[in-house]
Amino acid sequence: MDLLDRQDVLLLNELQRDARQTVQQLAAAVGLSSTPCWRRIKELEAAGVIRGYTALVDRAKVNLQLCVLAEINLSRHQEGEVQRFEAAVAQSPQIVACWSTTGQADYVIKVLVPDIQAYEHFLHETAFRLPGVTHVRSSVVMKEVKSETRLPIELPARGAALGKPKKG
């Protein structure tokens, strides 16, 4: 199994901090020269460790002030119904995250909309119409205390490495 070493972890943390840096800036930050740094980035991309690059947008500045976490229960857990539900969720732009969970809910979704009226419309026109949905419990987010996109990748101990999937 291929492993993430100290330089890989430093590079991933640096890219998570600011992915718009040049290869030269990244190389300097992680203690490599440009060519090996560029090669590592390409290897991390090819292995799927780096899935892509994106811009972080302030949701309030694009009129998405209301954030709702909704717990969803399905009537049945047959494979076809679950697949139809998950495909419909993937097609809904207001649903920005979805997790299959244990506990009281089968799924938890994160919904971003402009206001409570838009959420009510979303409930009636989208959520209640998702395949197999029997119950939706909504929690309106009053204040976002922390919303981090960076993964907490820690440096391995000297001589150790973190596992990463094999290429292939």
Side-chain angles (χ1 to χ4, degrees):
M1 173 184 273
D2 293 334
L3 300 173
L4 293 177
D5 65 14
R6 181 175 178 78
Q7 246 71 42
D8 291 332
V9 171
L10 290 171
L11 189 54
L12 289 170
N13 283 327
E14 196 61 28
L15 282 166
Q16 287 186 105
R17 186 185 66 74
D18 181 2
R20 293 186 63 178
Q21 296 178 75
T22 66
V23 172
Q24 291 77 16
Q25 290 170 316
L26 290 165
V30 302
L32 292 172
S33 62
S34 295
T35 301
C37 182
W38 177 84
R39 190 174 301 122
R40 281 177 183 261
I41 292 169
K42 293 301 170 196
E43 288 173 358
L44 291 166
E45 291 171 350
V49 175
I50 297 174
R51 297 187 327 201
Y53 301 89
T54 191
L56 300 177
V57 178
D58 184 322
R59 66 182 176 83
K61 291 184 179 176
V62 293
N63 196 30
L64 294 171
Q65 286 87 357
L66 189 67
C67 177
V68 179
L69 302 178
E71 297 178 347
I72 307 279
N73 287 97
L74 301 182
S75 57
R76 293 179 303 223
H77 298 100
Q78 295 172 333
E79 186 174 337
E81 185 155 313
V82 168
Q83 288 174 345
R84 283 188 299 280
F85 169 81
E86 291 179 359
V89 164
Q91 294 302 309
S92 176
Q94 298 91 347
I95 301 172
V96 298
C98 177
W99 303 275
S100 175
T101 61
T102 61
Q104 291 183 340
D106 296 321
Y107 290 88
V108 174
I109 61 174
K110 179 179 178 180
V111 179
L112 297 178
V113 290
D115 53 35
I116 198 69
Q117 291 81 15
Y119 184 67
E120 181 181 23
H121 183 263
F122 166 83
L123 279 175
H124 292 289
E125 298 301 319
T126 303
F128 294 150
R129 294 182 181 187
L130 292 170
V133 169
T134 59
H135 194 81
V136 178
R137 282 179 297 281
S138 302
S139 297
V140 173
V141 174
M142 301 295 291
K143 178 171 83 171
E144 197 170 89
V145 177
K146 181 178 181 181
S147 180
E148 186 63 57
T149 60
R150 295 184 206 185
L151 299 179
I153 306 169
E154 295 184 13
L155 290 172
R158 288 278 182 203
L162 299 174
K164 78 176 173 187
K166 281 188 171 182
K167 296 177 200 169

